[in-house]
Amino acid sequence: MFRSTRAIGPAGWRTSSLFVATGGALTWYFWREKERMVRVREQKEKERSTIGRPKVGGPFALMDHFGQRRTSDDFKGRHMLVYFGFTMCPDICPEELDKMAQILKSLKEDGIGITPMFITCDPARDTPDKLKDYLAEFHPDILGLTGTYEEIKQVCKSYRVYFSTPPSVKPGQDYLVDHSIFFYLMDPEGNFEDALGRLYTAEQATSRIKDFIQAYQQKS
Ligand code: NI
């Protein structure tokens, strides 16, 4: 480190280039600060306008169960119903996915389109193929999404989903994943609308989702 600094060149050149670099860095720093303040102000205004509405969800980049990279932008234009879980889940996820299948069936009967997603909290074991086989047992429309541990951690964080997957797992090691249990209803722009917990029956969840979708359609 020190040797390479000493090797740069004559003292004069070094001083002036340091001066230029410092000036440039300061300009850059103030410009950055100004930009940052503008962004902070915009963010605060945005938060004020959506007061009472928790900030849930956000952009993501994951891999679907066909092995295709997908981003949240791919799903804009339609409501999304997002569930987080894992395929090795012994009881809760299968129950919730059965419920999701019933919801989708009812919505389809009423001609309401929605994009249902299952995002795994267990990316180490839930490969695209595994998700594909697993979800086909419940409903053909449910799209499975997986990713690296970091990508999953990020999307869970933005949805405020708690999960306890160990970051590094030895092959064959058995473990359970504790995770939050909600269906997240997102509007066609990707904004959070509602979180439906386990207490909702399929019928109750369906009618609530319909209310949100109708309200959205009337608004736009
Ligand atoms: Ni589960």
Side-chain angles (χ1 to χ4, degrees):
M1 200 59 198
F2 283 106
R3 196 178 302 150
S4 65
T5 312
R6 232 180 288 135
I8 281 175
W13 180 79
R14 208 153 69 208
T15 312
S16 62
S17 64
L18 182 68
F19 179 76
V20 171
T22 310
L26 276 177
T27 311
W28 179 80
Y29 173 78
F30 283 118
W31 174 79
R32 267 283 299 269
E33 270 306 284
K34 209 177 131 198
E35 286 284 291
R36 198 178 67 83
M37 291 315 289
V38 168
R39 275 201 302 274
V40 166
R41 199 167 57 235
E42 280 172 355
Q43 185 58 33
K44 280 198 174 139
E45 276 161 13
K46 214 166 140 195
E47 274 163 21
R48 221 172 290 137
S49 69
T50 55
I51 224 145
R53 240 173 145 192
K55 175 86 186 79
V56 175
F60 61 76
L62 295 167
M63 184 175 279
D64 73 13
H65 69 216
F66 301 105
Q68 299 285 321
R69 294 293 301 178
R70 307 295 295 265
T71 73
S72 39
D73 283 344
D74 297 340
F75 303 104
K76 285 193 171 162
R78 225 179 182 208
H79 273 79
M80 297 195 293
L81 193 61
V82 187
Y83 180 80
F84 291 81
F86 69 115
T87 66
M88 304 274 279
C89 184
D91 43 22
I92 293 165
C93 285
E95 275 171 31
E96 293 304 290
L97 287 171
D98 271 335
K99 196 198 276 183
M100 196 183 214
Q102 287 178 56
I103 295 169
L104 296 175
K105 194 168 161 264
S106 308
L107 290 176
K108 211 169 215 172
E109 279 164 9
D110 289 339
I112 298 170
I114 194 167
T115 305
M117 289 177 197
F118 177 95
I119 301 180
T120 182
C121 301
D122 188 11
R125 291 184 298 191
D126 286 343
T127 59
D129 279 343
K130 201 164 173 196
L131 285 171
K132 193 176 168 198
D133 292 344
Y134 179 73
L135 294 170
E137 291 173 29
F138 296 95
H139 196 284
D141 291 352
I142 305 174
L143 185 69
L145 292 164
T146 186
T148 64
Y149 181 79
E150 280 307 314
E151 285 166 342
I152 293 297
K153 200 174 104 184
Q154 171 60 42
V155 66
C156 285
K157 196 177 158 203
S158 73
Y159 275 81
R160 302 184 182 207
V161 167
Y162 157 81
F163 77 108
S164 67
T165 310
S168 52
V169 182
K170 293 179 193 82
Q173 186 186 332
D174 201 17
Y175 57 91
L176 285 178
V177 181
D178 193 9
H179 61 88
S180 314
I181 305 145
F182 284 106
F183 290 113
Y184 295 91
L185 181 67
M186 312 300 287
D187 79 10
E189 280 105 60
N191 301 309
F192 171 77
E193 285 198 318
D194 199 20
L196 298 110
R198 287 191 75 198
L199 291 175
Y200 285 87
T201 63
E203 293 74 31
Q204 288 166 337
T206 306
S207 86
R208 205 167 157 82
I209 292 167
K210 270 192 213 164
D211 287 347
F212 273 102
I213 293 179
Q214 274 156 13
Y216 181 88
Q217 284 164 347
Q218 276 157 20
K219 198 179 69 188
S220 50

